[in-house]
Amino acid sequence: MDQIKAVIFDLDNTILNRTRTFEGFTQSLIKTYFSHMETTADISQRIIELDQDGYKDKPLLFTELLQELPWAVSPPHAELMEFYGTEYVRSAVLMEEAREVVQQLRSKYQTGLITNGKTDIQYGKIDQLGIRDDFDCIIVSEEAGVKKPDPRIFQLALDHFGLSPEQCIYIGDHPVNDVEGAAKVGMNTIWMEVNQPWQESITARPLHAITHLRELVALL
């Protein structure tokens, strides 16, 4: 890894524990809108299922929730979107040892973050976690006008650092958006195994697969 000058991360389910964050939001939603229900486990499970690990378009998600869930009084769609923007951000939780690992790597490398999502939501989570200053470069897809796996969003990071792809390594959980996307621009990658299964159609191969961020310290 002598040639590596920058370590670049995905955010959701890599640095941020997206699973726990959305579970926290779900409990807040249930507490606010479903206090009339004696049991809510099925409601919670259905919300999480419909969210599809964060890949469901949020306006569509809340349209579906309004149609499916046993609301006492159905709130306006806009109210739920606003509730999401506040409570989801407020529920942000880091992956175990995420900050410690990033700060340790910063002693050797420049650090970056590339994330798909809405600018206000993604920066909101970053600031809720207090990690904005842990990264030399942060790129959010809405702000950038391009999203993973498009190689152009990875090129933006290379341009910022003034480095070649071979001088950077990218860590993320999504086989297509992260591993394949970064590989297309020429970066080496490390796959963070969380919720997204590997797809055999992917020809890119990560240098390593990890299940915990602390493994990076030994690898890098």
Side-chain angles (χ1 to χ4, degrees), residues 101-187:
V101 169
V102 171
Q103 290 179 343
Q104 188 166 348
L105 291 175
R106 285 200 86 191
S107 67
K108 298 169 62 178
Y109 309 103
Q110 296 184 80
T111 55
L113 196 66
I114 302 176
T115 177
N116 284 353
K118 297 291 185 182
T119 303
D120 57 345
I121 296 290
Q122 299 305 82
Y123 277 116
K125 291 185 294 187
I126 289 165
D127 290 336
Q128 177 73 20
L129 296 169
I131 60 172
R132 190 186 284 241
D133 292 339
D134 292 337
F135 298 95
D136 302 298
C137 172
I138 297 176
I139 299 172
V140 179
S141 64
E142 183 182 50
E143 184 177 56
V146 62
K147 66 180 182 179
K148 300 179 291 184
D150 192 314
R152 290 175 296 172
I153 197 167
F154 298 95
Q155 186 63 49
L156 289 174
L158 295 175
D159 293 344
H160 173 89
F161 288 122
L163 297 173
S164 67
E166 296 78 16
Q167 293 175 301
C168 300
I169 193 159
Y170 187 83
I171 299 108
D173 73 299
H174 198 285
V176 174
N177 291 350
D178 294 317
V179 176
E180 188 170 56
K184 283 182 177 178
V185 82
M187 290 185 192

Side-chain angles (χ1 to χ4, degrees), residues 12 80 142:
D12 292 308
L80 290 180
E142 183 182 50

Side-chain angles (χ1 to χ4, degrees), residues 60-106:
L60 176 58
L61 171 64
F62 289 111
T63 296
E64 293 175 347
L65 294 180
L66 283 168
Q67 292 170 347
E68 285 200 26
L69 299 186
W71 307 87
V73 178
S74 295
H77 187 275
E79 179 181 319
L80 290 180
M81 290 297 297
E82 183 176 353
F83 184 86
Y84 174 77
T86 301
E87 294 301 319
Y88 175 60
V89 166
R90 188 176 293 165
S91 301
V93 178
L94 281 168
M95 283 291 203
E96 187 179 359
E97 297 185 53
R99 192 163 197 193
E100 294 86 345
V101 169
V102 171
Q103 290 179 343
Q104 188 166 348
L105 291 175
R106 285 200 86 191

